[in-house]
Amino acid sequence: MARAVLIWTGLALALVLPLSHAATSEYLAWRDPVYIASGFAGVFALSLLLVQPLLALGWLPGLHLIRSRRVHQRVGVVLVAAVVVHVAGLWITSPPDIIDALLLRSPTPFSVWGVAAMWALFAAALLSLLRRRLSPSSWRVGHTSLVSLVVVSGSVHAMLIEGTMNTTSKAVLCGLAIMATLAAVASPWLRARRRAPAKE
């Protein structure tokens, strides 16, 4: 019970602190509502990157593996929707910037990383819809490769932006998301090694 409380408390802090810092940022004073909503959608999407690998492997206390993976699927839909809202809001406030980003000609480096994360996320979602048509190994390699790209690119995208998010809490969130993803990717391989008969 104590371990479960610590895990859930730590996860809640990792998710809430970046959002609370963003909500009290001085940058919001000069922004219109659409831009603010778009920015918060991006922060929310970044937070979900930490939750997804924990759900996929059933590492959150109190959630059975099957139920955890069902929640993982639903959170994936929410994550895609959050990214769509993020990009759509930026499109409404500044279409030329979004066009430049999508055409990879934006002068801001964070745009390239954001676009890479977006397309990798959409590809991962499409792959999820086609899962039953793929072999388990093909699905696993494709999905883990794409989501790893999403997490790394999304984290670099967030870290390069000087905006509403507090630098420290943002760095902690991105670091935790990357570590959780790496652990989730390595977990099946480590389990397979443990199950393999010991070599003489």
Side-chain angles (χ1 to χ4, degrees):
M1 179 64 71
R3 178 174 175 271
V5 171
L6 287 175
I7 291 174
W8 280 108
T9 301
L11 178 61
L13 289 174
L15 300 178
V16 171
L17 287 178
L19 287 168
S20 63
H21 281 298
T24 57
S25 172
E26 59 184 13
Y27 287 98
L28 298 181
W30 298 279
R31 300 298 187 180
D32 58 68
V34 174
Y35 189 93
I36 293 173
S38 172
F40 272 98
V43 177
F44 183 61
L46 183 64
S47 300
L48 294 182
L49 295 183
L50 170 58
V51 178
Q52 281 296 74
L54 303 178
L55 290 171
L57 274 296
W59 286 344
L60 292 178
L63 288 177
H64 187 274
L65 180 60
I66 295 177
R67 179 178 295 180
S68 185
R69 287 183 174 173
R70 288 176 181 170
V71 176
H72 172 80
Q73 294 172 348
R74 292 166 185 161
V75 172
V77 174
V78 175
L79 175 57
V80 171
V83 170
V84 170
V85 171
H86 178 60
V87 175
L90 295 176
W91 174 278
I92 292 173
T93 56
S94 182
D97 289 339
I98 294 299
I99 293 175
D100 286 343
L102 293 175
L103 295 178
L104 303 179
R105 64 188 188 193
S106 174
T108 53
F110 64 78
S111 297
V112 177
W113 290 100
V115 169
M118 179 188 72
W119 287 121
L121 176 64
F122 291 165
L126 178 61
L127 197 65
S128 296
L129 297 176
L130 302 175
R131 180 174 185 175
R132 295 185 178 180
R133 300 184 182 182
L134 302 172
S135 66
S137 60
S138 298
W139 150 256
R140 184 168 53 252
V141 171
H143 188 68
T144 55
S145 299
L146 288 169
V147 297
S148 297
L149 179 59
V150 172
V151 173
V152 173
S153 299
S155 296
V156 175
H157 171 69
M159 291 304 301
L160 290 176
I161 296 176
E162 295 184 10
T164 58
M165 295 186 72
N166 174 269
T167 302
T168 302
S169 62
K170 177 171 59 175
V172 171
L173 176 60
C174 291
L176 289 174
I178 292 173
M179 287 190 293
T181 302
L182 289 176
V185 171
S187 180
W189 179 76
L190 294 175
R191 283 201 305 266
R193 288 204 60 178
R194 285 197 297 267
R195 292 173 182 172
K199 295 182 179 180
E200 294 295 336

